[in-house]
Amino acid sequence: ENRGRLLISCPDQPGIVAAVSNFLFHYKANIIESSQYSTNPEGGTFFIRIEFECPSLNTLQDELKEEFQPLADQFSMAWTLTCVSELKKLALFVSKEPHCLREILWEWQSGDLMAEIALVVSNHEEARDIVEDLGIPFYYIPASKENRADVEHQQIQLLKEFEVDVIILARYMQILTSTFVSEFPHQIINIHHSFLPAFVGARPYHRAYQRGVKLIGATSHYVTDDLDEGPIIEQDIMRVDHRDHVEDLKKIGRNIERSVLARAVKWHLEDRIIVHDNKTIVF
Amino acid sequence: ENRGRLLISCPDQPGIVAAVSNFLFHYKANIIESSQYSTNPEGGTFFIRIEFECPSLNTLQDELKEEFQPLADQFSMAWTLTCVSELKKLALFVSKEPHCLREILWEWQSGDLMAEIALVVSNHEEARDIVEDLGIPFYYIPASKENRADVEHQQIQLLKEFEVDVIILARYMQILTSTFVSEFPHQIINIHHSFLPAFVGARPYHRAYQRGVKLIGATSHYVTDDLDEGPIIEQDIMRVDHRDHVEDLKKIGRNIERSVLARAVKWHLEDRIIVHDNKTIVF
Amino acid sequence: ENRGRLLISCPDQPGIVAAVSNFLFHYKANIIESSQYSTNPEGGTFFIRIEFECPSLNTLQDELKEEFQPLADQFSMAWTLTCVSELKKLALFVSKEPHCLREILWEWQSGDLMAEIALVVSNHEEARDIVEDLGIPFYYIPASKENRADVEHQQIQLLKEFEVDVIILARYMQILTSTFVSEFPHQIINIHHSFLPAFVGARPYHRAYQRGVKLIGATSHYVTDDLDEGPIIEQDIMRVDHRDHVEDLKKIGRNIERSVLARAVKWHLEDRIIVHDNKTIVF
Amino acid sequence: ENRGRLLISCPDQPGIVAAVSNFLFHYKANIIESSQYSTNPEGGTFFIRIEFECPSLNTLQDELKEEFQPLADQFSMAWTLTCVSELKKLALFVSKEPHCLREILWEWQSGDLMAEIALVVSNHEEARDIVEDLGIPFYYIPASKENRADVEHQQIQLLKEFEVDVIILARYMQILTSTFVSEFPHQIINIHHSFLPAFVGARPYHRAYQRGVKLIGATSHYVTDDLDEGPIIEQDIMRVDHRDHVEDLKKIGRNIERSVLARAVKWHLEDRIIVHDNKTIVF
């Protein structure tokens, strides 16, 4: 199909929208959806996401990119142009708890997740069957503090081999080193089982129970070097009360985790997210 | 200040955004916020709301409008251009229950409602004090089925006299005739105390109780000739359970009503709403 | 295990709780959880649900029931006593859309649904694999308006044979006749894909789109002779906007449907629901 | 009227409910509402709240309390018995921002807050008019770090004089010393403008903006010696996005703050809250 998406960040100034829309109009592109945001109209940063239909986009793609560059230079733009028909390649990392993995696979089976699931990596064997039943390669790579460097080396090799665009940590309970993270900047999406910045780190449901909160939550964010401190993509919560013990919080939480992660992944795949200043703009 | 808003509806086709943004750029306007929607890129209707900063907008306003007309004609646009600094004039209609009136007045006092409250009209005396204490004219006009024509005639006179732009029915428990409604198309905002289209008409909380629903709601909509059938602007709900009797539903409902109405009024005042096909596009 | 549940409805009067708790204390039962409600302390109906631990409940069960009868007679009680260890037998009815079926099966696999899934009945073959993979009997019974009587006869036979306690209509898109419904009073749980009483009947998402609502919902209720008019167990909603077309509403709606149905089923299995006056009391 | 409330905490064991309900039945009391909870049926703590109608409760009150003591001793109960007709005396503390004060006053005017508002204390003059207009004494007591001891001494005197039962910090932006707090254990209710335990301390909206959260919240809790660490009574959140600057978060937050605080105060006044282990049980 002929649908494309243009994502741009640049210093704000008058004329950006005019220049970009003229460019697209020149290629007979019809703008389907457009969202923009400026941190500050005077001296701030400007962001825009444009989804458009352009006849023969597949053929014209390279020409478009080449021709756009001078315009991008003029406004000091950081930009990407993607074709909707070229599916992103996705890797899923999972440990023992399968609910987030299942949700993503389910969405994918239902045709609601426009991506290619290239492979699933796990430090446990539990998920092998449900993954291989769908014809997706499953890699069992036992991981622990001791063998972290080796394991990550192996994982990076795999991800390169499969030309993976985005890595989903679907409750992968291992910490990634900065070596790994720096290979995939803003390409690793994690689901943390708390309402960040509350309960950063381990055992958030235990600590939520201990503190006696009346709402529990989950947070999906891009992974950076600082544990649970990366740009937040999406969060949600559910109500709990004094009758809910840790096990109840976990059950309730699983439902929040899977829907929050699914939304974050969907937005990433639709090129709706721009990271700026350790925060996300979600168009 | 120099902030303006442009709202446009027209048949969708390539080049609209380019034409409009070129026009604005020509006047050195910087686009601050822009939202658009198309019912269907092929043969559908296109809608756009642009908020911009334009040097000397107040002085240039008439020129801008004149110069924009040829462009509008070319694309068969329905359009409005408003200056943010020219406050809309608002009339509040209220009966006995004061919670929605109070919420609007409160927002206004806090500086969160950018409008001029021109007058309050009521078929009861209860609200006189809180209104007049704020220096707002209060008109007591007893209303009933019998004197409806006279009453509405009197109200329309008042509204014309005060040059009112928008009428808020803040729990005004009288039905308006089509004579009245046709004087103010898409300018009358009502709050209905149910989750429409459930419980159209009278005594929605009683009927919600009777039906045993687990959520109750409120709906803000533009008033049309069909009772409770006008374009919906905003809705919200709260959870209730078997212990809540009609009186409890009313109490809980009051909180939903006032916040739903306040949001709808705010969006209207910010020119965020376009009515199309008995539905609203809220940008 | 020794956990039991006592559900009682009777005319309200002083002394009920004292009598019941004395009875339980006599059997050394410890009350774990107790909830009660009265429609009106004077002349209303009283409801109570008591969950208790009683040593050797399995052995004592029949004796307890026998001994409780005189007390029940004294207060004109309708009552049931269930042992938590005796799992309810559940039948799932499904048509083409699998999301609600999957959610229930998933909860069951995770150990979060304390029931025996006796069989799945469908008028389509689509779900056979995921059902039989779990070792659950799957019955394909094509159904249409024409053969309704025969089909229901066959279904009732199956349900009797499997001694089914509760029937879940997990998006079963066939109407049940009053013959069928009357066989299983307050034992059939349906999920309707709208926020009842809005959009009773067919194609609710189309009508929600048409009406331009800002929230869509789902409702789980017991099935009675009146279509979509049975006692509501649970409802929930999600926010939508003008950009969401019918297909989007369906996608969003599927998430509401499955979680609303899962909650309703869970509450039913835990004996938390009493039906009174076409409404539910959910303890 | 004859309505009473009994709140009990004691070590869990069989027979408590039987003993208490027998006692009430002896006084011809009809139990209207009853809620209970046990941290652990074996060796845990048991909590119960019973609301009842008892003929001539006002006259019988002292006798009831006297007669209940032996039963309380037998089960090692901590307990309180209150008459609904004896309104609690409430003090409101406020600084500059009036929205929480206004909400409480409004609820009180509407008859939805069953309490006597004894006085309002503020370190600013802003709220004087709206308070005194309602005939409520207003005390202006300037407060700062320097004069904290004197100010608190003066405040404690006032609160004793007015025989205040509960103190509401309706956005009172001064820290209370442990001297003050220890005078009113579990009697001081604060509203904190974040979703605790996120953003403990000063300027939570600034920090929420900085962190890029997608939901903001408010928390109502009992005040203890540890800042923002007291038992949480109620929390709620609203959705925000990248377009919301600090000022927007504050506006949105004000709506959460006032409704969360109003609910917490209502539950406290209805004797629905028991504090246990730095957490609340809300019946």
Side-chain angles (χ1 to χ4, degrees):
Chain A
E1 63 162 306
N2 295 314
R3 190 158 296 204
R5 293 180 192 132
L6 189 55
L7 258 78
I8 299 167
S9 315
C10 64
D12 201 358
Q13 68 176 89
I16 306 170
V17 178
V20 174
S21 49
N22 284 337
F23 176 86
L24 289 172
F25 183 50
H26 177 73
Y27 282 92
K28 299 189 175 45
N30 192 10
I31 297 177
I32 305 302
E33 194 185 324
S34 168
S35 314
Q36 57 173 75
Y37 172 69
S38 175
T39 57
N40 185 345
E42 318 219 352
T45 307
F46 174 86
F47 307 92
I48 191 165
R49 175 191 185 272
I50 297 174
E51 191 159 330
F52 59 91
E53 293 275 356
C54 178
S56 332
L57 180 61
N58 278 323
T59 334
L60 278 173
Q61 208 186 142
D62 293 338
E63 184 189 332
L64 238 81
K65 287 179 182 172
E66 207 171 307
E67 295 294 319
F68 190 72
Q69 193 56 53
L71 193 157
D73 291 342
Q74 183 193 333
F75 288 95
S76 311
M77 291 174 176
W79 64 284
T80 58
L81 191 158
T82 54
C83 284
V84 172
S85 57
E86 294 171 7
L87 294 185
K88 287 191 177 55
K89 287 189 182 117
L90 198 143
L92 289 159
F93 278 46
V94 66
S95 290
K96 277 195 165 176
E97 294 218 55
H99 55 283
C100 286
L101 173 70
R102 268 188 176 161
E103 184 78 14
I104 302 286
L105 294 177
W106 178 339
E107 292 264 311
W108 178 75
Q109 277 182 280
S110 316
D112 291 345
L113 199 87
M114 297 308 287
E116 184 191 327
I117 300 184
L119 74 162
V120 173
V121 172
S122 181
N123 56 337
H124 292 274
E125 281 283 14
E126 273 85 348
R128 182 182 291 278
D129 285 357
I130 57 170
V131 171
E132 294 188 341
D133 277 3
L134 294 168
I136 300 167
F138 178 89
Y139 290 85
Y140 168 55
I141 308 180
S144 66
K145 273 187 196 169
E146 289 64 40
N147 63 359
R148 191 158 285 163
D150 284 359
V151 161
E152 289 197 345
H153 182 73
Q154 201 180 336
Q155 291 169 341
I156 293 168
Q157 288 302 105
L158 265 174
L159 296 168
K160 300 276 180 200
E161 198 178 299
F162 279 95
E163 297 179 314
V164 159
D165 298 299
V166 52
I167 299 155
I168 314 298
L169 307 184
R171 295 295 306 265
Y172 181 65
M173 307 308 284
Q174 297 287 316
I175 287 172
L176 303 173
T177 69
S178 64
T179 312
F180 189 100
V181 172
S182 62
E183 289 277 344
F184 307 97
H186 302 160
Q187 290 174 281
I188 313 174
I189 297 177
N190 185 39
I191 179 74
H192 182 71
H193 39 315
S194 86
F195 181 95
L196 288 177
F199 309 121
V200 166
R203 295 163 65 84
Y205 292 128
H206 287 83
R207 288 149 66 206
Y209 175 73
Q210 210 58 42
R211 182 62 187 91
V213 295
K214 299 299 184 185
L215 305 167
I216 59 167
T219 304
S220 188
H221 63 94
Y222 287 113
V223 176
T224 59
D225 268 7
D226 292 320
L227 182 67
D228 301 333
E229 296 288 350
I232 292 171
I233 303 168
E234 171 63 335
Q235 309 188 281
D236 212 344
I237 56 98
M238 277 196 190
R239 198 158 274 275
V240 296
D241 70 26
H242 60 267
R243 286 170 302 192
D244 295 308
H245 285 258
V246 174
E247 286 311 309
D248 303 299
L249 301 190
K250 284 183 183 174
K251 272 186 209 179
I252 295 167
R254 283 200 286 263
N255 281 311
I256 319 174
E257 291 165 34
R258 58 187 178 136
S259 61
V260 165
L261 180 61
R263 284 202 291 275
V265 170
K266 200 171 157 249
W267 295 338
H268 181 94
L269 294 175
E270 293 176 0
D271 301 305
R272 295 194 173 279
I273 314 177
I274 298 178
V275 175
H276 175 70
D277 211 7
N278 206 44
K279 300 201 258 189
T280 63
I281 291 143
V282 181
F283 282 132
Chain B
E1 63 161 308
N2 296 314
R3 189 158 298 203
R5 293 178 192 134
L6 190 56
L7 258 79
I8 299 168
S9 315
C10 65
D12 201 357
Q13 68 176 88
I16 305 170
V17 178
V20 174
S21 51
N22 283 337
F23 175 86
L24 288 173
F25 183 50
H26 177 73
Y27 282 92
K28 300 189 174 45
N30 193 10
I31 297 178
I32 305 302
E33 193 185 325
S34 169
S35 313
Q36 57 173 74
Y37 172 69
S38 175
T39 57
N40 185 344
E42 318 221 352
T45 307
F46 174 85
F47 308 91
I48 191 164
R49 175 190 184 273
I50 297 174
E51 191 159 328
F52 58 91
E53 293 274 357
C54 178
S56 332
L57 179 62
N58 279 323
T59 335
L60 278 173
Q61 207 184 144
D62 293 337
E63 184 188 331
L64 238 82
K65 288 179 181 171
E66 207 173 307
E67 296 293 319
F68 191 72
Q69 193 55 54
L71 193 157
D73 292 341
Q74 183 193 335
F75 288 95
S76 310
M77 291 174 176
W79 63 285
T80 57
L81 191 157
T82 53
C83 284
V84 172
S85 58
E86 294 170 8
L87 294 185
K88 287 190 178 55
K89 287 189 183 117
L90 198 143
L92 288 159
F93 279 46
V94 66
S95 289
K96 276 194 164 175
E97 294 218 54
H99 56 284
C100 285
L101 173 69
R102 267 187 177 161
E103 184 78 13
I104 301 286
L105 294 177
W106 177 339
E107 292 263 311
W108 178 74
Q109 278 183 279
S110 315
D112 291 345
L113 200 87
M114 297 309 287
E116 183 191 327
I117 300 185
L119 75 161
V120 174
V121 171
S122 182
N123 57 336
H124 292 275
E125 282 282 14
E126 273 86 347
R128 182 181 290 278
D129 284 358
I130 58 170
V131 171
E132 294 187 342
D133 277 3
L134 294 168
I136 299 166
F138 178 88
Y139 290 85
Y140 167 55
I141 308 180
S144 66
K145 272 185 195 169
E146 288 65 40
N147 65 359
R148 192 159 285 163
D150 284 358
V151 161
E152 290 196 345
H153 181 73
Q154 201 180 336
Q155 291 169 340
I156 293 169
Q157 288 304 104
L158 264 174
L159 296 168
K160 300 276 181 200
E161 198 178 299
F162 279 95
E163 298 180 313
V164 159
D165 297 299
V166 51
I167 298 156
I168 314 299
L169 306 183
R171 294 296 305 264
Y172 181 65
M173 307 308 283
Q174 296 286 317
I175 288 172
L176 302 174
T177 70
S178 64
T179 312
F180 188 100
V181 172
S182 62
E183 288 278 344
F184 306 97
H186 302 159
Q187 290 174 281
I188 313 174
I189 296 177
N190 185 40
I191 178 76
H192 182 72
H193 39 314
S194 86
F195 180 93
L196 289 176
F199 311 121
V200 166
R203 295 163 65 85
Y205 292 128
H206 287 83
R207 288 149 66 207
Y209 175 73
Q210 210 59 41
R211 182 62 187 93
V213 294
K214 299 299 185 186
L215 305 168
I216 59 167
T219 304
S220 190
H221 63 95
Y222 287 113
V223 175
T224 60
D225 267 7
D226 291 322
L227 183 68
D228 300 333
E229 296 287 351
I232 292 170
I233 304 168
E234 171 64 335
Q235 309 189 281
D236 212 343
I237 56 98
M238 277 195 189
R239 198 158 273 276
V240 296
D241 68 27
H242 59 268
R243 286 169 302 192
D244 295 308
H245 286 257
V246 174
E247 286 310 308
D248 303 299
L249 300 189
K250 285 183 183 173
K251 272 186 208 178
I252 294 166
R254 283 200 287 263
N255 280 311
I256 319 174
E257 292 166 33
R258 58 186 179 137
S259 61
V260 165
L261 179 61
R263 284 203 290 275
V265 170
K266 201 172 158 249
W267 295 339
H268 180 93
L269 294 175
E270 293 176 0
D271 301 307
R272 296 196 173 277
I273 314 177
I274 298 178
V275 175
H276 174 70
D277 210 7
N278 206 45
K279 300 201 257 188
T280 62
I281 291 143
V282 181
F283 282 132
Chain C
E1 65 161 306
N2 296 313
R3 190 157 298 202
R5 292 177 193 136
L6 191 54
L7 257 78
I8 298 168
S9 315
C10 64
D12 200 357
Q13 68 175 88
I16 306 170
V17 178
V20 174
S21 51
N22 284 337
F23 175 86
L24 289 172
F25 183 49
H26 177 74
Y27 281 91
K28 299 189 176 45
N30 193 9
I31 297 177
I32 304 302
E33 193 184 326
S34 169
S35 313
Q36 57 173 74
Y37 172 68
S38 176
T39 57
N40 185 346
E42 318 219 352
T45 308
F46 174 86
F47 307 91
I48 192 163
R49 176 191 184 272
I50 298 175
E51 190 157 330
F52 59 90
E53 291 275 356
C54 179
S56 332
L57 178 62
N58 278 324
T59 335
L60 277 174
Q61 205 185 144
D62 293 337
E63 184 189 332
L64 238 82
K65 288 179 181 172
E66 206 173 307
E67 295 294 319
F68 191 71
Q69 194 56 54
L71 193 157
D73 292 341
Q74 184 193 333
F75 288 95
S76 310
M77 290 173 176
W79 64 285
T80 57
L81 192 157
T82 53
C83 284
V84 172
S85 58
E86 294 170 6
L87 295 185
K88 286 191 178 54
K89 286 190 182 114
L90 200 142
L92 288 160
F93 279 47
V94 66
S95 289
K96 276 194 164 175
E97 294 218 53
H99 55 284
C100 285
L101 173 70
R102 267 188 177 160
E103 184 79 13
I104 302 285
L105 293 177
W106 177 339
E107 292 264 310
W108 178 74
Q109 278 182 278
S110 316
D112 291 346
L113 199 87
M114 298 308 288
E116 184 191 325
I117 300 185
L119 75 162
V120 173
V121 172
S122 181
N123 55 337
H124 292 275
E125 283 282 14
E126 273 86 346
R128 182 181 292 278
D129 285 358
I130 58 170
V131 171
E132 292 187 343
D133 277 3
L134 294 167
I136 299 167
F138 178 88
Y139 290 85
Y140 167 54
I141 308 180
S144 66
K145 271 187 196 167
E146 289 64 40
N147 64 359
R148 192 159 285 163
D150 284 0
V151 162
E152 289 197 346
H153 182 73
Q154 201 181 335
Q155 290 169 341
I156 292 169
Q157 288 303 104
L158 265 175
L159 296 168
K160 299 277 181 202
E161 199 178 297
F162 279 96
E163 298 179 314
V164 159
D165 297 299
V166 51
I167 300 155
I168 314 299
L169 307 183
R171 294 296 306 264
Y172 181 65
M173 307 309 283
Q174 296 287 316
I175 288 171
L176 302 174
T177 69
S178 64
T179 313
F180 188 100
V181 172
S182 62
E183 288 278 342
F184 307 97
H186 303 159
Q187 290 174 281
I188 313 174
I189 296 176
N190 186 40
I191 179 75
H192 182 73
H193 40 315
S194 86
F195 181 94
L196 289 176
F199 309 122
V200 166
R203 296 164 64 87
Y205 291 128
H206 287 83
R207 287 148 67 207
Y209 175 73
Q210 210 58 42
R211 182 63 187 93
V213 294
K214 299 299 184 184
L215 305 167
I216 59 167
T219 304
S220 189
H221 62 94
Y222 287 113
V223 175
T224 60
D225 268 7
D226 292 320
L227 182 68
D228 300 334
E229 296 288 349
I232 293 171
I233 303 168
E234 172 64 335
Q235 309 188 282
D236 212 344
I237 56 98
M238 276 195 190
R239 198 159 274 277
V240 297
D241 69 28
H242 60 268
R243 286 169 302 191
D244 296 307
H245 284 258
V246 174
E247 286 311 308
D248 303 300
L249 300 189
K250 285 183 184 174
K251 272 187 208 177
I252 295 167
R254 284 201 286 264
N255 282 310
I256 320 175
E257 292 166 33
R258 58 187 179 137
S259 62
V260 165
L261 180 61
R263 286 203 290 274
V265 170
K266 200 171 159 248
W267 295 339
H268 180 94
L269 294 175
E270 292 176 0
D271 301 305
R272 295 194 174 278
I273 314 176
I274 298 177
V275 175
H276 175 71
D277 210 8
N278 205 46
K279 300 200 256 188
T280 62
I281 291 143
V282 180
F283 282 132
Chain D
E1 63 160 308
N2 295 314
R3 190 158 296 202
R5 293 178 193 134
L6 190 55
L7 258 79
I8 298 168
S9 315
C10 64
D12 201 358
Q13 68 174 89
I16 305 171
V17 178
V20 174
S21 50
N22 284 337
F23 176 85
L24 289 172
F25 183 49
H26 177 73
Y27 281 93
K28 301 188 174 46
N30 192 11
I31 296 177
I32 305 302
E33 193 185 325
S34 169
S35 313
Q36 57 173 73
Y37 172 68
S38 176
T39 57
N40 185 346
E42 318 218 353
T45 307
F46 174 86
F47 308 91
I48 193 164
R49 176 191 184 272
I50 298 175
E51 190 157 330
F52 59 91
E53 292 275 356
C54 178
S56 332
L57 179 63
N58 279 323
T59 334
L60 279 172
Q61 206 185 145
D62 293 339
E63 184 188 330
L64 239 82
K65 288 179 180 171
E66 206 172 307
E67 295 293 320
F68 191 72
Q69 194 55 54
L71 193 157
D73 291 343
Q74 184 193 333
F75 287 94
S76 310
M77 290 173 176
W79 64 285
T80 57
L81 192 157
T82 52
C83 285
V84 172
S85 58
E86 294 170 7
L87 295 184
K88 285 191 179 55
K89 286 190 183 115
L90 200 142
L92 288 160
F93 279 46
V94 66
S95 290
K96 276 195 165 175
E97 294 219 53
H99 55 284
C100 286
L101 173 70
R102 267 187 177 162
E103 184 78 13
I104 302 285
L105 293 177
W106 178 339
E107 292 265 311
W108 178 75
Q109 278 182 278
S110 316
D112 291 346
L113 199 87
M114 298 307 288
E116 184 191 326
I117 300 185
L119 76 162
V120 173
V121 172
S122 181
N123 55 338
H124 292 275
E125 281 282 14
E126 274 85 348
R128 181 182 291 277
D129 286 357
I130 58 170
V131 171
E132 292 188 341
D133 277 2
L134 294 168
I136 299 167
F138 178 87
Y139 289 86
Y140 169 55
I141 308 180
S144 66
K145 272 187 196 169
E146 289 65 39
N147 65 358
R148 192 158 285 164
D150 284 358
V151 161
E152 289 198 345
H153 182 72
Q154 201 180 336
Q155 290 169 340
I156 292 169
Q157 288 303 104
L158 264 174
L159 295 168
K160 300 276 180 200
E161 199 177 300
F162 278 95
E163 297 179 312
V164 159
D165 297 299
V166 50
I167 299 155
I168 313 299
L169 307 183
R171 295 295 307 262
Y172 181 65
M173 307 308 284
Q174 296 286 317
I175 288 172
L176 303 174
T177 69
S178 65
T179 311
F180 188 100
V181 172
S182 62
E183 288 279 343
F184 308 97
H186 303 159
Q187 290 173 281
I188 312 175
I189 297 177
N190 185 40
I191 180 74
H192 182 72
H193 39 315
S194 86
F195 181 93
L196 288 176
F199 309 121
V200 165
R203 296 164 64 86
Y205 292 128
H206 287 83
R207 287 148 67 206
Y209 175 73
Q210 210 58 41
R211 182 64 187 90
V213 295
K214 299 299 184 185
L215 306 167
I216 59 166
T219 304
S220 188
H221 63 93
Y222 287 113
V223 176
T224 60
D225 267 7
D226 292 321
L227 183 67
D228 300 332
E229 296 288 349
I232 292 171
I233 303 169
E234 172 64 336
Q235 308 188 282
D236 213 343
I237 56 98
M238 276 195 189
R239 199 159 272 277
V240 296
D241 69 28
H242 60 268
R243 286 170 302 193
D244 296 306
H245 285 258
V246 174
E247 286 311 308
D248 302 300
L249 300 190
K250 284 183 183 174
K251 273 187 209 179
I252 295 167
R254 284 201 286 264
N255 281 311
I256 320 174
E257 292 165 33
R258 57 187 179 136
S259 61
V260 165
L261 180 62
R263 285 203 291 274
V265 169
K266 201 172 157 247
W267 295 339
H268 181 94
L269 293 175
E270 293 176 1
D271 301 307
R272 296 195 173 277
I273 314 176
I274 299 178
V275 175
H276 175 70
D277 210 6
N278 206 44
K279 299 201 257 187
T280 63
I281 292 143
V282 180
F283 282 132

